[in-house]
Amino acid sequence: MTEEIIIAGFGGQGVLSMGKILAYSGIMQDQEVSWMPSYGPEMRGGTANVTVILSDNRISSPVLKKFDTAIILNQQSMDKFEADLKPGGTLLYDPNGITRHPERKDINIFKIPGAALATEMGNPKTFNMIIMGGFLKVKPIVKIENVQKGLEKSLPERHHKLIPLNIEAIQKGIENVETVISL
Amino acid sequence: MGDIRLMKGNEVIAEAAIRCGCDGYFGYPITPQSEIMETLMIRRPEQETGMVVVQAESEVAAINMVYGGASCGKKVMTSSSSPGISLKAEGITYLAGAELPALLVNIVRGGPGLGTIQPAQSDYFQAVKGGGHGDYKLIVLAPASVQEMNDFVDLSFELSFKYLNPAMILSDGVIGQMMEKVELSDFKPRWTAEEIEKISGSWATTGKKKGIKRRISTSLDLDSAKQEVFNHKLQAKYRAMEENEVRFEKIDCDDADYLFVAYGSSARICQKAIEIARAKGIKVGLLRPITLFPYPTKQIQEMLGQVKGILSVEMSAGQMVEDVRLAVEGKVPVEHFGRYGGIIPTPDEVVEALEQNFLGE
């Protein structure tokens, strides 16, 4: 199994840390992983994206042009990455702020109201884990217990008290993902 | 199993240095490698192993601190990125001229000049053909994964003390900034003066004691005849490295009709390009030089009876391709494909370049 994922949105949405937790979860189930951020003179409010690969085999290129899954969290990223999905791939997006919804017919499309759910949960920082839950519902490539272990490994000890809230957010995401197109 | 982590290449360089018993790091920050010193400053190894970490006032100061530490027989290192390595070039040739061991890390960014902060491989010439003045060589290792960032720190020190010659890890912003799974090395104690003497001989300037000959660490000799003799000695050392230290990896070469030659992050991109090309029925393999000096010249020559064309893939305008052509001596066509100025080539672009150059498409 090899899963090539792009996660893209605004800086501050937790794009990079979501990728990191996903990668750590892969390590917890003995997979090879890579995490390659877009790198440049970035700023808050600018776009941020990260390529995450989980594989049972040695990973070739950490830099990719075609993806199995795109997790898209703003309009700029939709414009940039919708075309980069492989045919039959999976696009998961948050419709918040999206003015042009995905148009391709040869991919699976799911949506999740991550920003709205995070507001509902009373903590905007749960946003990325809600999205993560939505992703794991449509692509269960890592087990929730391994995500829990990944959180334990990737968060400093002083933040471990936040893990139950993160798991709750993941559950929220699992429950609220909607199918737009399923091939 | 050892200590498995998800870490950035830059962070791993720092951790590996502490664990392999490095005595001192002297550096000056520059993107995209500042996490090396940042990690060391957070880790505070002086409290754990006694390793000293100093942010110098400039790159020139840092490399001369390395010279000082190395003269005393210490396992010392510095790191920088392209413009910073240019500033260190004088100190690097002095290290080579004084036959001192040291680890230099270059996390390359696009140039020339201040250039950009994104990844590039345009310092190949600087690393393997000189960079500083005089007839000298560095041992140059090119990691292609975060794991190799860990492994090559210890290996660089080992080779550096074996040959009493500075060694360089030549990497780039891709490997430096990406995170991968890494199994960290076990802790090794720092060497004592006696151990260093046992490993590499009696040369370190540790203070003249009674009955011991005065030792001098210098690269200056005004007597040309002596300087030539010394240069012969250096050249013999470089030939010995060529004989004994070539490292490389071959991927999918057994049935290959075409060959990619690429190092570091470009080699990773070529591995994906191989998957894409082979799915189209193009049999291509990869020869990945791990040591850039000494270069795997013979290993490329061994492929000549088999392959119809070689594509050197680099994030430069074509530097390593010259060494490929020297090895090939015109026996098969050698072409170059590169993106530069901080642009990373995609695997699809590499396949296109292969097709355009050799398959008439």
Side-chain angles (χ1 to χ4, degrees), chain A residues 2 4 16 19-37 39-42 58-66 86 153-154, chain B residues 1 3-8 31-33 35 117-119 173-175 177-182 249 251 265 268-272 275 288 344-348:
Chain A
T2 297
E4 296 170 337
L16 299 186
K20 195 173 161 185
I21 291 161
L22 193 56
Y24 248 122
S25 310
I27 291 180
M28 293 303 135
Q29 48 192 38
D30 287 332
Q31 286 178 304
E32 298 300 320
V33 301
S34 75
W35 176 96
M36 178 74 209
Y39 190 75
E42 311 288 5
R58 176 173 163 173
I59 292 169
S60 55
S61 177
V63 181
L64 298 169
K65 185 67 190 147
K66 295 280 173 208
K86 297 176 192 169
K153 267 285 239 189
S154 63
Chain B
M1 241 192 311
D3 192 351
I4 291 185
R5 308 260 187 98
L6 179 73
M7 286 174 85
K8 279 190 178 189
T31 305
Q33 63 80 55
E35 293 90 348
I117 61 170
Q118 279 92 348
V174 174
I175 311 286
Q177 291 297 331
M178 85 168 157
M179 289 204 270
E180 285 189 304
K181 180 160 89 172
V182 56
E249 184 186 15
I251 295 174
S265 48
R268 295 288 294 273
I269 292 157
C270 284
Q271 285 171 55
K272 188 77 183 174
E275 291 170 27
R288 173 171 81 93
I344 307 164
T346 65
D348 298 272

Side-chain angles (χ1 to χ4, degrees), chain B residues 61-221:
Chain B
I63 194 67
N64 285 295
M65 289 177 186
V66 167
Y67 188 102
S71 299
C72 301
K74 296 294 179 188
K75 240 183 181 179
V76 290
M77 69 181 288
T78 186
S79 69
S80 193
S81 180
S82 312
I85 296 292
S86 293
L87 287 166
K88 286 174 178 161
E90 181 198 49
I92 293 171
T93 175
Y94 277 46
L95 284 164
E99 295 202 87
L100 293 175
L103 168 59
L104 320 162
V105 179
N106 185 0
I107 307 295
V108 180
R109 58 191 249 179
L114 265 182
T116 178
I117 61 170
Q118 279 92 348
Q121 293 180 314
S122 43
D123 296 356
Y124 178 89
F125 283 154
Q126 187 193 42
V128 306
K129 308 283 180 191
H133 57 277
D135 272 327
Y136 79 94
K137 292 283 183 191
L138 299 176
I139 299 159
V140 184
L141 290 156
S145 64
V146 173
Q147 184 65 53
E148 285 187 341
M149 291 289 245
N150 174 78
D151 302 348
F152 290 0
V153 169
D154 196 23
L155 176 62
S156 296
F157 277 123
E158 186 196 312
L159 294 172
S160 187
F161 275 85
K162 180 174 173 185
Y163 291 98
L164 294 180
N165 199 72
M168 176 178 275
I169 291 180
L170 187 73
S171 187
D172 60 61
V174 174
I175 311 286
Q177 291 297 331
M178 85 168 157
M179 289 204 270
E180 285 189 304
K181 180 160 89 172
V182 56
E183 184 174 351
L184 296 170
S185 302
D186 294 335
F187 281 88
K188 290 204 291 197
R190 287 164 53 220
W191 285 336
T192 61
E194 293 73 36
E195 282 169 321
I196 296 214
E197 191 134 340
K198 215 173 133 191
I199 290 159
S200 62
S202 309
W203 55 273
T205 52
T206 50
K208 188 189 169 315
K209 292 168 199 79
K210 222 178 169 183
I212 291 176
K213 229 182 114 196
R214 190 164 64 118
R215 296 173 189 168
I216 302 171
S217 171
T218 181
S219 62
L220 175 72
D221 201 327

